[in-house]
Amino acid sequence: MDATDHTAARAGRQRSEKVPGPPHTEATTHVLEVPGARLSYEIRGSGPLLLMIGSPMGSRGFTALASLLAADFTVVTYDPRGILRSTISDPSQPATPELIADDVLRLVEALDAGPAHVFGNSGGATTGLALITRHPHVVRTLVAHEPPVTELLADGQQVRAAIDDICREYAAGRRDVALRAYTALTGIGFAPPRPAGQAPTAESYTPSHDARAILDRFFGYILQPTTRYRPDLDALRKTSVPLVVAGGTASRGQLYHRTATALAGHLDTPLRAFPAGHTGFHEQPQPFAELLLRTIEDSRTGPHSGTRTTASP
């Protein structure tokens, strides 16, 4: 980022509203102008900076997890460009991990509180890999939970072809066919279960028209560039950023658990087991938050070299 971009980023930051909640969990909502987009992000809590990133999931999906960790961290969540409250100048622009990583760089620098601990889930984990490859100076720790790096799989070409077919079906208007095929391929549905006994809250509920817009962007401009991203394994092996690769205890055998396992194998680092499935922080937020906190602490205090970590499943 040049000086002009950095100044524009700071100028674009503003407070727009408060999202009420219990102590430590009240969120303030802000916006940040970046080249080609306007990002909406939320801040809650206090302490070291912890950035949670998903793709295509935005801030709402991290509400429970962020609230649980706000007593220990300044937790920042955001809507990626073109998702929910974050707008994009060119709606047909593919959301490559490199482009989204540059957005995250500008966000961390605008916050002026980095480097950040980063938790990335799914496509957000792939963004995290691109971030520490391109801009390692803004990351203190990366926990990459089930990044969909399908190009690392032995059957990666078959998976690529299946994803291309799914995106074609969706673009042709056969959305139900595409959604069923995606679930069959990945094991992931589109309505993650709520924790037992919890009702949806205003800040976590996604209206149907927003959900449809997310799916349109996901199958049109996010899924293919994300799954076609091939991590720079040499750079990841040499990075000084502690990197923890994670997978769900309930998603073993599913596509994105397989990709996480493949990445961990290439990097010769253990795969850290987190509760529940691909979005375990929805299903078991309390134990998920506790393990994420311990994982960050372990990565900071335990001996490590490059991507190696003392974290154990």
Side-chain angles (χ1 to χ4, degrees):
M1 177 192 297
D2 61 27
T4 302
D5 285 340
H6 192 73
T7 302
R10 290 186 180 279
R13 184 174 45 156
Q14 68 181 53
R15 175 170 169 171
S16 59
E17 64 177 308
K18 287 187 178 181
V19 179
H24 301 294
T25 69
E26 183 178 280
T28 57
T29 302
H30 309 252
V31 294
L32 175 67
E33 303 286 345
V34 299
R38 188 171 188 263
L39 305 180
S40 173
Y41 63 99
E42 294 181 358
I43 303 176
R44 48 169 58 81
S46 60
L49 183 61
L50 170 59
L51 178 62
M52 297 181 180
I53 51 179
S55 178
M57 188 177 69
S59 288
R60 290 172 181 166
F62 289 117
T63 299
L65 183 62
S67 297
L68 288 167
L69 289 170
D72 298 284
F73 298 97
T74 298
V75 183
V76 176
T77 59
Y78 89 117
D79 298 337
R81 61 169 59 207
I83 296 294
L84 295 172
R85 297 164 296 179
S86 290
T87 59
I88 185 170
S89 300
D90 179 7
S92 66
Q93 181 185 47
T96 66
E98 295 90 346
L99 174 65
I100 307 306
D102 288 352
D103 284 347
V104 175
L105 164 70
R106 291 181 170 91
L107 176 56
V108 174
E109 292 194 333
L111 291 165
D112 198 24
H117 300 292
V118 177
F119 171 71
N121 176 69
S122 194
T126 304
T127 299
L129 297 174
L131 183 66
I132 65 171
T133 300
R134 295 166 67 84
H135 312 293
H137 65 285
V138 300
V139 184
R140 185 175 297 182
T141 307
L142 172 63
V143 180
H145 186 265
E146 299 200 355
V149 283
T150 60
E151 296 291 296
L152 298 182
L153 297 175
D155 60 343
Q157 291 305 306
Q158 293 94 317
V159 173
R160 176 191 278 223
I163 288 173
D164 289 348
D165 286 343
I166 289 168
C167 292
R168 278 193 291 268
E169 292 284 2
Y170 194 93
R174 294 183 285 273
R175 297 181 183 88
D176 289 345
V177 172
L179 295 181
R180 287 195 297 270
Y182 183 79
T183 298
L185 178 67
T186 64
I188 299 169
F190 292 90
R194 296 190 304 273
Q198 287 193 15
T201 59
E203 63 268 24
S204 63
Y205 175 69
T206 301
S208 58
H209 64 278
D210 283 345
R212 169 63 183 275
I214 291 172
L215 291 177
D216 287 351
R217 180 145 182 84
F218 178 61
F219 286 105
Y221 305 103
I222 295 176
L223 178 57
Q224 287 171 305
T226 300
T227 54
R228 289 182 180 183
Y229 176 77
R230 188 173 185 90
D232 185 337
L233 296 174
D234 287 340
L236 293 177
R237 291 186 188 107
K238 296 173 183 176
T239 184
S240 61
V241 178
L243 167 58
V244 178
V245 184
T249 56
S251 54
R252 293 188 178 103
Q254 293 180 0
L255 179 61
Y256 298 150
H257 192 283
R258 291 203 294 125
T259 57
T261 302
L263 176 63
H266 279 290
L267 299 179
D268 191 25
T269 189
L271 182 72
R272 185 103 196 219
F274 271 72
H278 184 64
T279 53
F281 45 88
H282 289 151
E283 302 158 63
Q284 298 183 30
Q286 185 70 48
F288 199 103
E290 292 171 356
L291 182 54
L292 180 56
L293 175 60
R294 292 199 305 272
T295 299
I296 291 172
E297 290 175 344
D298 288 349
S299 69
R300 286 188 300 179
T301 60
H304 61 269
S305 175
T307 59
R308 295 180 182 273
T309 173
T310 56
S312 58

